[in-house]
Amino acid sequence: MEGENQTVETEFIIVGFNDFPQILVPLFLFFLLIYFLVLVGNLLIMSVVYFNKHLHTPMYFFLTNLALLDICYTTIIFPFMLAHFFLVGTHISLNGCLLQLFSFMSMVSTEFLLLSVMAYDRYVAICNPLHYVKIMNNAVCMKLAAGCWLFSFIDPVPDTVLISRLSFCRSHTINHFFCDVAAVINLSCSSTHAVEVAIYIVGTLVGVAPFSLTIVSYINIISTILKIRSTEGRRKAFSTCASHLTVVVLFYGVICSTYMRPASMVSVKNNKALSLLYVALTPLCNPIIYCLKNTEFKNTMRKTKNTK
């Protein structure tokens, strides 16, 4: 009973970037600018798609879901980080830490699944264009998007429950800017084997499986594009998936560089820097990539601007 009360009352101290006191103000302004650009860029995508009926297609429907995801992604981390930027040690309760951890894992899982669904959409559009409208109808798109969000909120439950049962009798200082899974379980003085196994299983289901589907989709897409005889036809076919392919490469590249590293290369400062890549870089780059690489989207933005 005493152990349970101790667990309930557990508080963590988030170090954040207070180990860089000489550049706190520039860092604060930099992260505030990033968060502002993420919000503006992704809200712009959602607005352009919403107000232009010719963009009410499966591809742009999933794109608006990705834009909403990126907003949620950063909002889980950035307001908390910015609000306590100048505090020496930001306190967060165990329940608050678990909520942030759960929410962040949910968003990461959603992005894995959503990028995979978007790859499948491009596969159907390029490899089976005559049946595209029938296969990717509104009902199917709604179910796929809802499935991505729903499954991703169920997916982190086992990990979160197991972490909540850990004992934290060592240091309660998290040398990170949010409650990252690895940073939290490293503070536990009880066995973390069950948590690590659960994370491995969930990571395989939500990471490897969607990635495999994405790879298979693009192998078929590229194979189909190469069979197109005309150069213009190949260019048009590739342009319909170039933006998404760039986002996929960026997202998986960042994830791999963050988590698939030898233990000898892992350090606290490196972890913070690499975590910023998937917390800030991908949500910031996604709208830039779609705005710059997608010809149809750029043309729509020009027309909307000229109309005004």
Side-chain angles (χ1 to χ4, degrees):
M1 194 71 182
E2 185 179 344
E4 291 179 5
N5 291 335
Q6 184 181 359
T7 303
V8 171
E9 295 171 359
T10 297
E11 279 195 347
F12 296 107
I13 299 174
I14 306 292
V15 172
F17 293 94
N18 285 297
D19 45 352
F20 302 102
Q22 66 278 12
I23 55 170
L24 277 180
V25 173
L27 278 177
F28 173 80
L29 295 175
F30 176 68
F31 293 138
L32 181 63
L33 177 62
I34 288 179
Y35 185 49
F36 174 76
L37 292 175
V38 168
L39 292 180
V40 171
N42 286 287
L43 286 173
L44 176 64
I45 287 178
M46 295 172 70
S47 300
V48 170
V49 173
Y50 179 80
F51 288 110
N52 292 273
K53 290 186 178 181
H54 72 280
L55 295 182
H56 292 182
T57 62
M59 182 174 74
Y60 291 103
F61 169 73
F62 292 125
L63 177 57
T64 55
N65 274 267
L66 183 64
L68 176 61
L69 170 65
D70 286 339
I71 291 173
C72 296
Y73 213 137
T74 50
T75 300
I76 290 168
I77 305 299
F78 271 69
F80 175 83
M81 181 177 70
L82 292 170
H84 302 280
F85 210 84
F86 298 105
L87 297 179
V88 180
T90 301
H91 291 261
I92 184 171
S93 67
L94 174 61
N95 288 336
C97 193
L98 290 174
L99 178 61
Q100 188 182 61
L101 184 149
F102 171 84
S103 302
F104 184 73
M105 286 194 295
S106 294
M107 296 302 103
V108 174
S109 298
T110 306
E111 184 143 8
F112 274 117
L113 296 173
L114 195 55
L115 288 176
S116 182
V117 167
M118 293 172 77
Y120 174 72
D121 170 68
R122 293 299 84 206
Y123 160 75
V124 177
I126 293 172
C127 301
N128 201 357
L130 297 178
H131 297 92
Y132 178 71
V133 175
K134 182 180 179 181
I135 296 173
M136 299 301 294
N137 57 61
N138 289 339
V140 170
C141 291
M142 291 293 291
K143 288 176 182 177
L144 286 172
C148 290
W149 289 95
L150 181 61
F151 181 81
S152 297
F153 277 100
I154 298 172
D155 166 65
V157 170
D159 297 346
T160 308
V161 170
L162 289 172
I163 292 172
S164 70
R165 294 179 178 177
L166 295 176
S167 298
F168 298 97
C169 52
R170 297 175 186 169
S171 169
H172 289 179
T173 301
I174 299 176
N175 197 348
H176 213 296
F177 57 89
F178 74 105
C179 290
D180 185 53
V181 178
V184 173
I185 63 176
N186 283 341
L187 297 179
S188 175
C189 55
S190 55
S191 174
T192 60
H193 178 70
V195 180
E196 291 168 2
V197 170
I199 291 173
Y200 177 80
I201 293 172
V202 169
T204 301
L205 289 173
V206 180
V208 176
F211 178 68
S212 301
L213 179 59
T214 302
I215 292 295
V216 170
S217 297
Y218 271 104
I219 288 174
N220 283 281
I221 288 170
I222 293 171
S223 176
T224 301
I225 291 175
L226 292 176
K227 291 176 183 176
I228 299 174
R229 293 184 179 181
S230 69
T231 305
E232 182 64 18
R234 287 197 298 269
R235 188 193 65 79
K236 286 183 178 179
F238 185 74
S239 67
T240 63
C241 59
S243 300
H244 177 257
L245 182 58
T246 305
V247 170
V248 167
V249 171
L250 175 66
F251 178 73
Y252 281 102
V254 168
I255 290 293
C256 290
S257 65
T258 304
Y259 292 108
M260 296 183 180
R261 292 174 294 144
S264 59
M265 295 178 62
V266 177
S267 70
V268 173
K269 290 186 178 181
N270 285 342
N271 274 343
K272 285 185 185 180
L274 289 169
S275 294
L276 279 173
L277 290 179
Y278 64 81
V279 171
L281 183 64
T282 52
L284 177 63
C285 289
N286 286 353
I288 296 174
I289 291 169
Y290 276 102
C291 289
L292 293 179
K293 284 188 171 290
N294 192 299
T295 305
E296 185 180 12
F297 194 85
K298 285 193 293 184
N299 291 337
T300 301
M301 287 186 65
R302 289 194 193 101
K303 290 177 182 177
T304 303
K305 186 177 180 180
N306 292 334
T307 302
K308 292 181 179 179

